């Protein structure tokens, strides 16, 4: 026992700033360093795995094992190429969609014409579409049967070739008056003789309907009614 009643620290007791306290701090720092090293090692290993996998996915053929920068640059170039391809495919798809829509619209507009042509050719009345120059534009089957010509034969002729010579002047005069834009009535009837391919005459009544386009003479729709 010391004088004055004070006691000295017993042997082995830890006191702040003692060697034992310093050793504990060093141990903790060492543990943290080791833990950080392990985390960093795992990060580097994972990064290496990712770069290796990325290298195998790239279409680029590397002559030697590339470094990380080469892999990243090749990846950027590949992504740019893919982006351009996707953009081109999207543009092509849009063009195709527009073309499809235009074709559908055109088909819709042509449907009445298709139906008209079907009715024209199936009609049992002899009919022809004749241009302002008197050439045959279209002929239905009934007219072909009436005068014995094939469709292709008539389309190489004009109506003057099948009209009786005595009716040509009357037809020309009537056609001229019908195509006159000042004529209030574009319709007229005309009795005439049609020459068949066999050489005999077919007496018929011709119903002429003058058709104008953009306020100008265009063609005739003609019905031939045997008499």
């Amino acid at each position: 026992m010391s004088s004055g009643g004070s006691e000295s620290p017993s042997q082995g007791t830890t006191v702040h700033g003692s060697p034992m306290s310093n050793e504990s701090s060093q141990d903790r720092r060492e543990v943290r360093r080791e833990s950080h090293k392990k985390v960093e090692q795992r990060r580097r290993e994972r990064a290496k795995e990712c770069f290796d996998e990325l290298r195998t996915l790239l279409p680029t053929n590397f002559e030697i094992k590339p470094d990380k920068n080469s892999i990243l640059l090749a990846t950027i170039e590949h992504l740019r190429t893919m982006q351009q391809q996707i953009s081109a495919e999207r543009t092509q798809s849009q063009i195709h969609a527009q073309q499809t829509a235009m074709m559908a619209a055109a088909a819709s507009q042509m449907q009445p014409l298709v139906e008209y042509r079907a009715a024209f050719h199936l009609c049992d009345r002899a009919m022809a579409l004749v241009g302002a120059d008197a050439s045959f534009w279209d002929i239905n089957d009934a007219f072909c049967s009436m005068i014995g010509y094939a469709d292709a034969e008539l389309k190489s002729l004009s109506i003057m070739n099948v009209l009786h010579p005595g009716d040509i002047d009357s037809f020309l005069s009537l056609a001229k008056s019908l195509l006159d834009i000042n004529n209030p009535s574009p319709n007229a009837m005309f009795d005439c003789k049609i020459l068949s391919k066999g050489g005999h005459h077919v007496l018929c009544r011709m119903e002429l309907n003058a058709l104008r386009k953009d306020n100008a003479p265009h063609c005739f729709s003609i019905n031939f009614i045997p008499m």
Side-chain angles (χ1 to χ4, degrees), residues 49-198:
E49 291 174 359
C50 290
F51 274 101
D52 287 342
E53 183 177 0
L54 189 57
R55 177 174 53 81
T56 60
L57 293 173
L58 289 172
T60 307
N61 294 321
F62 296 101
E63 295 182 359
I64 59 175
K65 187 174 181 180
D67 57 19
K68 294 178 181 178
N69 286 339
S70 298
I71 293 175
L72 289 176
L73 289 173
T75 302
I76 291 171
E77 186 62 29
H78 180 57
L79 290 175
R80 281 177 179 166
T81 301
M82 289 183 62
Q83 189 177 41
Q84 291 172 354
Q85 290 176 347
I86 291 171
S87 178
E89 289 174 359
R90 185 180 294 115
T91 300
Q92 188 62 34
S93 177
Q94 291 173 346
I95 292 174
H96 179 70
Q98 291 173 353
Q99 290 175 339
T100 301
M102 290 173 63
M103 289 175 63
S108 176
Q109 292 175 356
M110 289 189 65
Q111 186 61 30
L113 178 60
V114 171
E115 293 175 353
Y116 161 77
R117 287 185 60 81
F120 176 82
H121 286 284
L122 292 174
C123 182
D124 57 2
R125 175 177 289 186
M127 300 173 65
L129 196 62
V130 176
D133 61 352
S135 63
F136 282 110
W137 286 5
D138 204 358
I139 312 101
N140 71 351
D141 294 343
F143 185 61
C144 290
S145 298
M146 185 178 83
I147 61 175
Y149 282 94
D151 179 276
E153 290 177 312
L154 283 173
K155 285 181 179 177
S156 66
L157 303 175
S158 77
I159 196 169
M160 303 303 177
N161 297 115
V162 297
L163 269 176
H164 188 277
D167 293 323
I168 290 178
D169 287 342
S170 298
F171 172 80
L172 289 175
S173 177
L174 181 60
K176 183 178 179 180
S177 67
L178 292 176
L179 290 176
D180 186 349
I181 59 174
N182 296 316
N183 187 344
S185 176
N187 309 311
M189 289 187 295
F190 169 56
D191 292 343
C192 63
K193 295 175 182 177
I194 300 294
L195 300 176
S196 71
K197 187 176 181 179

